[in-house]
Amino acid sequence: MMTTKLFNLTDNLKKLINTGGDLLVSNDLSPNAESTNNALLLINKTVNATISNNNNKRDENKSSFSPSSLSTSSSDSSATSSSSSSFDTHHKLQEKTATAAGAVLDETFTIDEELTSISTPSKQRLMPVDDMSSSTSVRVAVRIRPQLIRERIEMSKVCTHVTPDEPQVTLGFKDDKSFTYDYVFDLNSKQEHIFDTCVKGLVDGCVRGYNATVLAYGQTGSGKTYTMGTAFDLTLLPEEDGIIPRAIRHLFAQIEQSKLDTISEFGDSSMPDFNVTAQFIEIYNEDIIDLFDNNIPLSFASPPVDLLTTTTTTTTTTMAMAVTKGKIEIHEDQYGGIYLHGCSSRSVRSSDETLEYLKNGARMRTTGSTNMNSQSSRSHAIFSLHIKQNRLVAREAANKDFETLTAKFHFVDLAGSERLKRTGATGCRAKEGICINRGLLALGNVISALGDKEKRGSHVPYRDSKLTRLLQDSLGGNSRTLMIACVSPSDRDFMETLNTLRYANRARNIKNKVVLNQDKTSKQIAQLKAEIERLTLELLEYKSKYNSKSKYYCFCCC
């Protein structure tokens, strides 16, 4: 019904253009968004041409009606009469054009009011999330972990310095190297402060239909798993919960709040329907392993480790990998989105249920011991939440239309970069380190291709590794991305810290294209509403110009 009215409005625009008489409209004008744009352009040209033409006629007629012309011969009098007739004709033509414009303007106001009642159920409709526009840069946060007891015993010095009240970190003693980021968290930063500062807004955006990604990068032992919150150490206090547990609790709290707000505005029958599903995978030696797969025996998974003891773990997912190897494939949909085929998902209805799945999956993750970390992650882990909601978009009880919004939130805990000389890895552990560094190198190449001005526009090697292929949406695609670079403050890790800061600095130059994940029908209505708003402004401008000209004509006639 609404689309038909908009198409009829396009026909009226054609009539209005024909009324001007100075420009011809193509007969193959079809009622769609493109033709509406063409019609608007033609209207603008027609109005300007009509006004310019009438102004020229008016100036000619004024000179024809001057007192000197009245004393001329009879032939001049007939010419004056002809000019007067021409003036009246053009004056009537402009009145007719203005009448048609007024009719279209009234119809525009009517359709605009109906579209407003359909497609704007709340003030947050089509508004930007936080301060992020449709084209936004990847945001980067640097977290400096406290020194470990072992580092203090070895008398390692702190080589990092954070500028007070500025997101700037300085590295070194003599030749200081300063880096500026979006956020910088010093040694004593709390988990809650980090979440509230740079992650909470991303969760709020997911409830409103925007994709988001948080990825932690850094050398091995820099605190990535602790920051993300997938360690689940029994000795951790509740205030030490990481980003993922806090994001899960905040997400379901926002869902409940959204339901309450909708009920208070529209009633119980208009409560939005939310569906949240979770996926948890790891990339181990370039193989994707489903951590939610029930076919993986628990005896094959890495058992939890007590950090207070010196007991080490070994990689025990070789048989589990054989079970799932070759099942999971990476695909791309028609809109360029990346998804996994063959990966199991879990429908969750509460934060406690989601955290239980997360805890079980974290126990399956591959870990091992090196000289630099007693519980080193030997794989890249990606925990994903997919949010789908159906909400009301019509205010009238007779026309209750719903729209579907979708969003996905990726939490990426990358394995730490490491040097074999320092980790002392051999055999299978060395092979794991090589695969980890290969994936991080491919990620660095993607960041360079997207961020470096000299390489911008060149080929982006997403397919060089499965990690970069899975993060294609997050880097240069439709996602609001936050990269947390975790670094060590000790001088013995100076080179690793410097490389991490440079790595993160390049990521700030990446531009993502963030759009609202909206179903096709409601998106088309929003686009048509935008066309109506532009049309209204053009017609108002024309009407104001005509009113000013008509006053001048009346003054001349009098």
Side-chain angles (χ1 to χ4, degrees):
M1 181 65 179
M2 184 56 57
T3 306
T4 304
K5 290 185 177 181
L6 291 170
F7 291 165
N8 293 336
L9 179 60
T10 305
D11 294 335
N12 290 335
L13 296 178
K14 293 171 62 179
K15 296 178 181 178
L16 175 60
I17 295 169
N18 289 329
T19 303
D22 294 316
L23 293 174
L24 295 177
V25 182
S26 175
N27 293 327
D28 60 351
L29 185 62
S30 58
N32 51 35
E34 183 179 0
S35 63
T36 305
N37 287 330
N38 295 334
L40 292 176
L41 294 175
L42 288 173
I43 286 175
N44 191 24
K45 293 180 181 179
T46 302
V47 169
N48 293 334
T50 303
I51 292 175
S52 177
N53 190 15
N54 287 333
N55 289 338
N56 295 334
K57 295 295 183 181
R58 181 197 64 200
D59 295 338
E60 293 176 2
N61 292 330
K62 286 177 63 179
S63 62
S64 300
F65 288 123
S66 60
S68 59
S69 64
L70 294 177
S71 61
T72 57
S73 62
S74 59
S75 60
D76 294 334
S77 299
S78 61
T80 303
S81 176
S82 176
S83 299
S84 176
S85 176
S86 176
F87 172 77
D88 293 338
T89 301
H90 284 282
H91 185 66
K92 291 179 181 179
L93 177 62
Q94 190 178 26
E95 288 182 348
K96 188 176 180 181
T97 305
T99 303
V104 175
L105 183 62
D106 295 337
E107 186 176 356
T108 302
F109 284 139
T110 303
I111 297 179
D112 182 63
E113 292 175 356
E114 295 182 8
L115 282 174
T116 302
S117 64
I118 290 178
S119 58
T120 54
S122 64
K123 294 182 179 179
Q124 296 176 347
R125 180 76 178 131
L126 294 179
M127 294 294 290
V129 182
D130 297 337
D131 57 344
M132 294 190 123
S133 60
S134 59
S135 179
T136 180
S137 300
V138 172
R139 295 190 175 183
V140 177
V142 173
R143 184 180 192 181
I144 306 172
R145 65 161 173 80
Q147 279 192 307
L148 303 177
I149 297 177
R150 182 178 66 254
E151 294 172 341
R152 295 178 182 176
I153 293 175
E154 295 175 355
M155 302 297 292
S156 295
K157 297 181 180 180
V158 175
C159 63
T160 58
H161 173 72
V162 177
T163 305
D165 301 326
E166 293 291 337
Q168 185 180 63
V169 58
T170 302
L171 182 66
F173 301 102
K174 295 182 180 179
D175 298 330
D176 295 340
K177 297 176 175 60
S178 297
F179 299 89
T180 302
Y181 301 96
D182 298 288
Y183 314 97
V184 174
F185 303 101
D186 208 352
L187 302 173
N188 299 321
S189 298
K190 303 298 182 182
Q191 297 275 64
E192 182 180 6
H193 175 62
I194 295 174
F195 174 79
D196 292 341
T197 302
C198 54
V199 182
K200 192 175 182 179
L202 299 180
V203 180
D204 295 338
C206 272
V207 180
R208 296 196 287 270
Y210 293 89
N211 297 335
T213 300
V214 176
L215 60 95
Y217 172 81
Q219 75 171 98
T220 180
S222 58
K224 300 181 299 298
T225 301
Y226 174 81
T227 300
M228 297 300 291
T230 57
F232 293 103
D233 186 5
L234 298 178
T235 62
L236 294 179
L237 300 175
E239 56 267 21
E240 293 182 283
D241 284 343
I243 289 176
I244 300 180
R246 294 178 184 274
I248 291 173
R249 296 190 188 100
H250 186 66
L251 172 64
F252 283 95
Q254 287 296 103
I255 289 176
E256 293 300 323
Q257 185 62 42
S258 178
K259 292 180 180 180
L260 293 176
D261 293 342
T262 305
I263 291 175
S264 62
E265 185 175 359
F266 300 110
D268 295 339
S269 60
S270 303
M271 185 173 65
D273 180 31
F274 284 87
N275 182 22
V276 182
T277 58
Q279 289 181 336
F280 200 4
I281 65 167
E282 70 171 353
I283 304 175
Y284 175 72
N285 288 348
E286 280 300 300
D287 290 310
I288 301 177
I289 301 175
D290 185 2
L291 298 179
F292 284 165
D293 193 347
N294 295 326
N295 295 325
I296 301 179
L298 291 177
S299 58
F300 294 157
S302 300
V305 178
D306 188 354
L307 297 180
L308 299 180
T309 66
T310 58
T311 304
T312 60
T313 59
T314 59
T315 304
T316 54
T317 58
T318 304
M319 296 181 66
M321 183 182 63
V323 175
T324 58
K325 184 177 180 180
K327 282 188 176 181
I328 302 176
E329 298 177 350
I330 304 174
H331 291 276
E332 184 174 350
D333 60 23
Q334 57 180 340
Y335 303 107
I338 303 299
Y339 67 95
L340 292 172
H341 176 72
C343 181
S344 62
S345 60
R346 298 290 183 268
S347 179
V348 292
R349 296 177 177 83
S350 65
S351 59
D352 293 337
E353 184 181 6
T354 309
L355 289 174
E356 187 65 26
Y357 280 122
L358 177 64
K359 186 181 299 184
N360 293 335
R363 292 196 185 108
M364 298 279 191
R365 189 179 178 186
T366 308
T367 58
S369 176
T370 65
N371 291 343
M372 296 186 65
N373 191 357
S374 60
Q375 191 185 9
S376 174
S377 300
R378 313 308 297 166
S379 64
H380 308 296
I382 302 177
F383 180 76
S384 303
L385 291 175
H386 298 264
I387 303 99
K388 182 179 180 180
Q389 62 170 308
N390 294 320
R391 69 180 186 182
L392 183 68
V393 294
R395 295 179 182 271
E396 291 84 357
N399 297 319
K400 283 191 175 181
D401 295 331
F402 287 83
E403 70 172 356
T404 301
L405 297 179
T406 59
K408 55 185 177 182
F409 204 131
H410 294 312
F411 301 91
V412 185
D413 182 11
L414 299 174
S417 59
E418 54 187 41
R419 296 185 179 183
L420 295 181
K421 290 182 179 180
R422 297 195 61 186
T423 59
T426 58
C428 293
R429 192 69 74 243
K431 180 182 177 181
E432 294 168 354
I434 293 172
C435 289
I436 291 171
N437 290 337
R438 185 185 299 131
L440 296 176
L441 175 62
L443 180 61
N445 292 335
V446 169
I447 291 176
S448 297
L450 293 172
D452 291 353
K453 294 182 179 180
E454 297 179 356
K455 298 181 180 179
R456 194 167 296 173
S458 62
H459 170 68
V460 182
Y462 287 116
R463 297 178 181 269
D464 284 359
S465 73
K466 293 183 179 179
L467 173 64
T468 53
R469 181 63 170 157
L470 286 173
L471 295 180
Q472 183 171 336
D473 286 340
S474 305
L475 300 173
N478 176 23
S479 178
R480 305 166 62 200
T481 301
L482 170 70
M483 179 179 181
I484 302 179
C486 299
V487 298
S488 167
S490 300
D491 55 356
R492 68 171 189 171
D493 298 322
F494 180 88
M495 289 307 302
E496 286 82 357
T497 300
L498 178 61
N499 292 333
T500 301
L501 294 178
R502 288 174 175 172
Y503 198 98
N505 193 55
R506 286 184 294 167
R508 293 188 66 202
N509 299 323
I510 299 177
K511 299 290 185 180
N512 287 355
K513 300 175 182 178
V514 182
V515 297
L516 184 68
N517 298 304
Q518 194 178 17
D519 67 293
K520 189 175 181 180
T521 302
S522 56
K523 186 176 182 179
Q524 184 181 15
I525 291 179
Q527 292 174 347
L528 292 174
K529 183 177 181 296
E531 295 291 339
I532 292 298
E533 291 177 353
R534 285 194 291 270
L535 172 65
T536 303
L537 292 176
E538 291 195 14
L539 290 179
L540 284 174
E541 181 181 0
Y542 168 71
K543 199 171 184 179
S544 62
K545 288 182 179 179
Y546 170 73
N547 289 336
S548 62
K549 299 299 180 182
S550 61
K551 291 180 181 179
Y552 184 79
Y553 281 131
C554 292
F555 177 78
C556 291
C557 293
C558 294

